[in-house]
Amino acid sequence: MKLGVNIDHVAVLREARRVNDPDILEAMYVATQAGADQITIHLREDRRHIHDTDAYRIAKLCKVPLNLECSIDEEIIDIVCDIAPHRATLVPEKREEVTTEGGLDVIKRFDAVTKAVKRLKERQIAVSLFIDPETKVIEASKETQADMIELHTGAYANVYAMLHSNLGASHHRIEALQKPRNELEALLENELRKLQESAAYAHSLGLEVAAGHGLNYQNVRQIAAINEIIELNIGQSIVARAVFSGLESAIKEMKQLVSH
Ligand code: PXP
C-alpha cells in the first residue's frame, strides 16, 4: 500500500500568518524522508493554502511522485498542464466548502471531465478522479479514459468518528448522524461494504484504485485491508498528530532559548 501525504494543512498554518513558516518545502522533505511514497497537494481555485509557486517548486524538487489535486476549471487545467505533475486528481470544488465535500459528479459533468482528462493525458499526466463509491460513477469514470479513481472515504470516516470518537460531544458534531449506536454501526458496515465493492468493481474494469479523505490512526486499518486499493492519501490526521508529537520538544527548545 502506498501512502500519499497531503501537506496542504502545513500551508494552512502558514497562510494563517502570511509568513513562510512552516515552510512547505520543509514539509515535503520531511514527508519524503519519513517514507511518504507520494506528495499530494491541492491547488484550489481560491488559493486558500497551496499557491502556484508552491506547486511549481514541489514539482521541481520532489523526489517522489507529485499528485496534484485540482478542479476541472479550464484555467486551473492550463496551470496543471504547465506544472506537469506525475498525476492530477480531479476533484469537485466549491468556494464556500471547508474541504472537498463529496466526489466529482462525473455523470452530470461528463463532457467537461472527459475534456480535462484528455488535455492532461495529452501532456503525459496520469489522471485520477475523486469519486463517491457508486457503480454508475465508476462506470462513467472509466468512460472518460481516466487511469485511476480515488474513492471518497469521507462518509465512512464521518460515521466512524460519530461512533468511536468524541466528535459527537463537540461543537462539530454531525447532526445528521446523531443516531443510536446500533444504527451507526449498521451505517458504518454499509459504508465499508460500498468501498469494498466499489474498489473490486473499479479494479475489474481496469482502473487503478486509491482512497482518501478523513482517514486517521483509528479508522485506516479497515480501508488499508481492501485488496484492490493501492494507495491512500492522508493529510489532516497526520498534521494533527504532528502537532502533539512535536509540541513538547518545540516548547522545550524555546524555553531553553529564553532562559539563557
Ligand atoms: N484525497 C483527496 C482527493 C482530498 O481532496 C483530500 C483532502 O484534501 C485528501 C485525500 C486528504 O484528506 P484528509 O486531509 O482528510 O486526510
Side-chain angles (χ1 to χ4, degrees):
M1 178 69 73
K2 287 190 178 152
L3 175 65
V5 176
N6 183 317
I7 56 174
D8 292 348
H9 290 282
V10 174
V12 168
L13 201 53
R14 176 193 67 185
E15 292 305 305
R17 288 296 291 269
R18 297 174 181 240
V19 288
N20 197 30
D21 183 24
D23 188 335
I24 199 77
L25 287 183
E26 200 172 339
M28 176 198 81
Y29 286 125
V30 172
T32 49
Q33 287 235 317
D37 300 296
Q38 163 173 284
I39 294 296
T40 295
I41 52 174
H42 184 173
L43 185 66
R44 292 188 71 100
E45 289 168 23
D46 62 11
R47 308 301 199 272
R48 70 172 71 158
H49 38 56
I50 295 294
H51 284 246
D52 302 36
T53 45
D54 297 325
Y56 277 102
R57 292 167 83 202
I58 291 170
K60 187 165 166 218
L61 297 168
C62 196
K63 298 267 189 281
V64 295
L66 170 62
N67 173 32
L68 185 51
E69 298 173 4
C70 64
S71 74
I72 56 172
D73 173 82
E74 296 208 6
E75 277 174 36
I76 288 283
I77 298 292
D78 284 343
I79 297 169
V80 174
C81 283
D82 192 50
I83 294 170
H86 296 81
R87 188 198 303 142
T89 296
L90 303 181
V91 302
E93 216 175 283
K94 287 195 230 106
R95 299 237 164 183
E96 66 279 13
E97 71 191 358
V98 175
T99 181
T100 315
E101 295 159 3
L104 191 61
D105 192 343
V106 185
I107 296 172
K108 210 153 134 199
R109 312 214 53 197
F110 184 78
D111 290 344
V113 174
T114 305
K115 187 173 171 200
V117 171
K118 185 166 183 281
R119 288 194 57 203
L120 291 160
K121 290 190 75 166
E122 277 168 4
R123 282 284 285 141
Q124 269 77 51
I125 301 167
V127 185
S128 179
L129 306 182
F130 187 45
I131 60 168
D132 290 323
E134 289 169 19
T135 306
K136 293 254 175 296
V137 186
I138 294 168
E139 287 165 353
S141 300
K142 175 70 183 171
E143 276 182 52
T144 66
Q145 308 290 320
D147 308 281
M148 187 173 202
I149 56 161
E150 179 172 338
L151 294 172
H152 198 310
T153 49
Y156 160 83
N158 283 345
V159 181
Y160 196 102
M162 288 297 282
L163 193 55
H164 295 302
S165 81
N166 57 8
L167 179 68
S170 81
H171 59 290
H172 289 309
R173 68 180 167 270
I174 303 163
E175 296 300 342
L177 292 177
Q178 293 276 55
K179 294 176 189 289
R181 266 197 99 71
N182 61 334
E183 281 185 38
L184 286 179
E185 276 161 1
L187 271 178
L188 188 64
E189 214 170 287
N190 188 44
E191 291 300 339
L192 185 60
R193 203 188 56 247
K194 277 201 286 185
L195 290 164
Q196 289 163 335
E197 289 175 359
S198 295
Y201 185 50
H203 179 75
S204 76
L205 295 181
L207 287 160
E208 288 190 296
V209 187
H213 207 283
L215 297 178
N216 61 33
Y217 295 84
Q218 290 75 43
N219 67 19
V220 75
R221 271 198 201 95
Q222 286 168 302
I223 303 300
I226 300 174
N227 275 335
E228 295 83 3
I229 295 179
I230 58 169
E231 170 190 305
L232 299 176
N233 288 296
I234 306 180
Q236 156 81 26
S237 64
I238 292 177
V239 176
R241 174 65 61 102
V243 170
F244 290 119
S245 57
L247 194 57
E248 186 181 340
S249 67
I251 292 169
K252 283 183 174 160
E253 203 180 321
M254 185 58 82
K255 175 93 177 154
Q256 228 195 357
L257 276 176
V258 300
S259 306
H260 287 91

